[in-house]
Amino acid sequence: LLTAMADEDPVDPLPEIQKSCESHCTKALNELNACTERVNKILAEAKPEDEVTANCQIQYNDFWHCIDHCTAPKLFAQLK
């Protein structure tokens, strides 16, 4: 899985493959970014005594699920 020439350090292909899959997951990324903006606004407007529980966990999980779904076949194709 890690590729390298005989005298070079191995290179993990996963980060590059994940980056290439971002264009496949633009809807999920846009939803995550919109949520992050909403939560940041809520946090900025909250008073110190407010108990803010807003987060973007669902959007974060949806984005990484999309990335994993796109990445897996490309990554496993490189296994020998």
Side-chain angles (χ1 to χ4, degrees), residues 6-78:
D7 58 342
E8 294 179 3
D9 287 336
V11 176
D12 183 359
L14 182 61
E16 185 177 322
I17 295 171
Q18 286 175 327
K19 187 77 173 161
S20 73
C21 284
E22 285 182 9
S23 63
H24 174 75
C25 300
T26 55
K27 181 180 178 199
L29 181 58
N30 290 340
E31 290 174 4
L32 176 58
N33 289 337
C35 179
T36 301
E37 287 179 22
R38 285 191 307 272
V39 170
N40 285 339
K41 184 178 179 184
I42 291 168
L43 292 173
E45 295 172 355
K47 297 175 184 170
E49 65 272 7
D50 291 344
E51 192 170 317
V52 178
T53 59
N55 66 60
C56 299
Q57 189 65 47
I58 292 172
Q59 293 81 357
Y60 178 85
N61 290 343
D62 288 348
F63 173 70
W64 282 104
H65 176 78
C66 180
I67 293 290
D68 289 345
H69 187 262
C70 173
T71 300
K74 295 175 183 179
L75 187 62
F76 285 109
Q78 294 186 18

